[in-house]
Amino acid sequence: GVRSSRKKDSFFKRYTAKAFYKTMKLIGTEIVPNHSQYRLMSRRAIEAFSAYGEVNLFLPALIPLLGFKSSIVYHERTKRHAGKTKYSFGKLFSLAIQAITSFSLAPIRLITGVGVLFLFVAFGIAAYMIMQAIAGDVAKWLWLLFSIWVIGATVVMSIGVVGEYVGKTYGETKRRPRYYISESLMDIR
């Protein structure tokens, strides 16, 4: 089930949802925008899904991984008549972080990229220091600035590298099935 529109949502909720779906697409996760948790699944799809041993399940991104044929049924979400949603902004934010980190190493790679950016800033400072040395005298504070940027770059890139290993280990512990056998033909002699 997919919402046909989000007109009844607040401006904030509508645009944070749009940002979430764009982020998921950007990191390479196949997900249907504005989906709901309601779905009709065949017995084969449910059996295939039961092979996923994960505890933190984000269904909207896991179900497409199964690879079965699917279709979308659009529905109009009406205004809630009784009670209030239990999904506060904090819970939705936590769910978004769980979804992003469960399906991609992009946040860790972004950290590594920041470390590389810091290193380029350090190289820029070094180039400026060389120009200052050629012109005359290098200010002592530039040495401190250069040292801070080099150490910062090294630390941030190291965190990124360690994160990459931890992320790969995390991915392996999920033991997600790589494929499903659609049909089996008996060995004919």
Side-chain angles (χ1 to χ4, degrees):
V2 176
R3 294 180 190 180
S4 55
S5 74
R6 285 189 165 267
K7 292 178 183 174
K8 292 182 174 60
D9 288 346
S10 68
F11 174 84
F12 180 74
K13 189 162 185 175
R14 193 169 40 248
Y15 284 96
T16 53
K18 186 184 271 188
F20 169 73
Y21 291 117
K22 282 186 178 182
T23 302
M24 292 297 282
K25 186 175 183 175
L26 185 68
I27 65 174
T29 303
E30 185 181 337
I31 189 169
V32 177
N34 298 321
H35 63 83
S36 60
Q37 296 294 337
Y38 305 107
R39 62 191 78 243
L40 180 63
M41 296 173 65
S42 69
R43 168 71 56 202
R44 284 182 49 214
I46 291 171
E47 287 171 0
F49 183 67
S50 68
Y52 286 80
E54 300 174 42
V55 176
N56 297 317
L57 299 173
F58 184 68
L59 295 178
L62 276 177
I63 299 299
L65 289 178
L66 298 175
F68 291 98
K69 291 180 184 176
S70 65
S71 61
I72 295 172
V73 176
Y74 291 98
H75 65 89
E76 182 68 33
R77 184 164 169 222
T78 59
K79 187 175 181 179
R80 186 184 289 260
H81 295 288
K84 292 186 176 183
T85 180
K86 303 295 186 265
Y87 273 102
S88 64
F89 174 75
K91 286 182 181 179
L92 286 172
F93 184 76
S94 177
L95 181 64
I97 295 299
Q98 175 188 335
I100 291 167
T101 57
S102 290
F103 290 92
S104 176
L105 294 177
I108 291 171
R109 291 184 179 137
L110 180 66
I111 290 170
T112 306
V114 169
V116 170
L117 179 68
F118 285 3
L119 194 59
F120 281 122
V121 171
F123 288 149
I125 294 169
Y128 181 72
M129 289 172 59
I130 291 169
M131 289 189 305
Q132 289 291 317
I134 292 170
D137 191 29
V138 179
K140 291 184 175 40
W141 63 269
L142 281 174
W143 287 103
L144 179 62
L145 188 64
F146 173 74
S147 301
I148 290 171
W149 279 95
V150 166
I151 291 169
T154 304
V155 168
V156 172
M157 285 190 309
S158 298
I159 289 170
V161 169
V162 169
E164 189 76 27
Y165 282 107
V166 170
K168 288 183 187 292
T169 303
Y170 174 61
E172 288 292 325
T173 60
K174 291 180 187 180
R175 313 228 15 95
R176 288 182 180 164
R178 293 182 187 187
Y179 56 86
Y180 297 101
I181 298 172
S182 173
E183 188 177 339
S184 176
L185 303 174
M186 299 201 57
D187 188 25
I188 301 174
R189 294 183 187 191

